[in-house]
Amino acid sequence: MEFKIFVEKYAPDLILIQETHLRPKYNINIPNYICYRNDRDTGERARGGTLILIRRNFPHYNLPTPPLQHIEATIVVLTPPNFNPISIASVYVPPKSDERLFTLDFEQLLQTNSNCVIFGDLNATHNEWNCLVNSTRGKQLKTFTDTLNLTIAYPSSPPASATGLQIL
């Protein structure tokens, strides 16, 4: 209920959520929004999952998620008039996913469009992003982004966790 009140009060164009822990039988219905999501239902209980809520009047389409081995993602392509399309991905990298091969899935996402922004819970830390420690996944992600000349947006002060990094 608090989330619904927040959305109604601030009316953001996009909302990206990771670790939704939703099962397919549960629907999210918020007036004036379309919900796209990928749930991870392991049978015993819901885990992981990604979601994008987008204002109904915002020009876009849902892009089917390519086959991914190490991460979870939901993708929409924004199609504003007179601008090039932009892929927006809500990504969750589970802590138990391969710490080195997960970047192969990032390559898949980056190939969805020449303009792609990835947001999510990457479970990666590196002191370049104001984190206190360099995790194996963080070092791998740093090498990956440096090699492809990508930019990572991060908070100006150390985050409480590995969340909040965006690849631009």
Side-chain angles (χ1 to χ4, degrees), residues 9-146:
K9 180 177 180 178
Y10 295 102
D13 292 327
L14 279 171
I15 300 168
L16 293 87
I17 301 175
Q18 301 80 38
E19 287 193 86
T20 59
H21 295 255
L22 295 172
R23 291 186 181 271
K25 66 182 179 181
Y26 296 111
N27 293 319
I28 294 180
N29 294 310
I30 297 178
N32 302 315
Y33 285 86
I34 299 172
C35 179
Y36 301 105
R37 66 189 229 207
N38 287 303
D39 302 330
R40 181 182 8 139
D41 188 354
T42 60
E44 65 215 36
R45 68 179 192 153
R47 299 177 182 265
T50 57
L51 175 148
I52 296 177
L53 282 168
I54 186 165
R55 288 177 65 119
R56 195 170 292 282
N57 64 350
F58 206 92
H60 74 282
Y61 61 90
N62 178 234
L63 186 67
T65 306
L68 303 172
Q69 301 299 313
H70 308 284
I71 67 175
E72 301 170 20
T74 301
I75 308 166
V76 296
V77 178
L78 307 180
T79 56
N82 304 318
F83 290 95
N84 291 328
I86 302 169
S87 290
I88 302 291
S90 178
V91 172
Y92 175 56
V93 180
K96 292 185 179 180
S97 68
D98 190 286
E99 293 181 325
R100 299 193 192 288
L101 297 179
F102 76 102
T103 55
L104 296 173
D105 288 346
F106 278 106
E107 288 180 32
Q108 288 272 87
L109 294 178
L110 293 170
Q111 291 176 21
T112 63
N113 191 321
S114 60
N115 299 310
C116 183
V117 184
I118 299 171
F119 296 87
D121 179 350
L122 308 182
N123 280 305
T125 58
H126 197 284
N127 57 18
E128 288 278 326
W129 313 317
N130 284 327
C131 299
L132 300 176
V133 298
N134 293 341
S135 66
T136 301
R137 187 175 288 112
K139 290 186 259 184
Q140 183 71 16
L141 184 59
K142 173 84 170 81
T143 300
F144 175 77
T145 57
D146 287 349

